[in-house]
Amino acid sequence: MKRPKIRLTCCLCGRTLPQRADVYVLDAEWQRRHPDMVGILACRCAITQRWFWRCDGGGPRYVAGHLPAASDGPRCIDSWSHISVWGTPVYAVTSYPFAALQQGAEEYLRHTAHRRGVNAEVARELQEALAEWDARGSLINGRL
């Protein structure tokens, strides 16, 4: 069987992520500021002025409710500080499979989880994410 394409919808702008572009992994502060986000995988819109914000709100202290960036040490500055990592779509969906499922990559992950030659640990993690996805119920993933 031919490998399906990775289909991801950006958690911020809702556009389909390009097959050959970086995917940005957003942290909990993004989720706090944008509670309607589905998943944590974003296209390059996450690094544009449209979604830019400062952690301090323009003053000497962080905005109320601010969640510090885990990967940026004691002080974070702006929205860029809250981008955990970025990489290829393959990296994003295999490293963050549950978010990838929420954002539309189910067909690709099902194929990859059972494909010969896939690292055993990666296959196990994908299968666990798929089992959790399936257990959450039919209304989430379109099955009855």
Side-chain angles (χ1 to χ4, degrees):
M1 176 182 182
K2 184 178 174 185
R3 181 178 75 184
K5 288 186 176 184
I6 296 173
R7 304 252 187 247
L8 284 174
T9 301
C10 177
C11 65
L12 292 173
C13 70
R15 292 189 203 121
T16 301
L17 277 75
Q19 297 289 310
R20 290 189 169 95
D22 284 337
V23 176
Y24 299 87
V25 181
L26 309 181
D27 73 1
E29 179 64 3
W30 281 90
Q31 292 173 310
R32 186 188 73 80
R33 289 174 182 257
H34 304 284
D36 294 335
M37 268 179 29
V38 175
I40 58 170
L41 306 175
C43 70
R44 72 178 319 276
C45 77
I47 61 171
T48 64
Q49 196 63 30
R50 176 180 177 204
W51 297 97
F52 180 82
W53 37 266
R54 292 188 50 85
C55 295
D56 60 13
R61 291 186 276 184
Y62 290 126
V63 296
H66 177 264
L67 301 171
S71 62
D72 203 28
R75 176 133 171 90
C76 50
I77 300 165
D78 56 28
S79 54
W80 280 60
S81 301
H82 293 276
I83 295 174
S84 301
V85 294
W86 61 89
T88 66
V90 170
Y91 166 78
V93 300
T94 56
S95 297
Y96 301 91
F98 200 79
L101 286 164
Q102 291 175 309
Q103 293 177 243
E106 182 176 358
E107 183 181 9
Y108 176 85
L109 288 173
R110 286 195 186 281
H111 173 80
T112 304
H114 300 288
R115 195 182 75 200
R116 288 192 336 170
V118 172
N119 176 286
E121 181 68 18
V122 170
R124 185 188 58 73
E125 289 174 7
L126 297 181
Q127 290 166 11
E128 286 176 6
L130 287 161
E132 181 182 344
W133 178 253
D134 291 341
R136 289 199 174 203
S138 60
L139 295 179
I140 295 173
N141 58 18
R143 293 197 190 106
L144 292 176

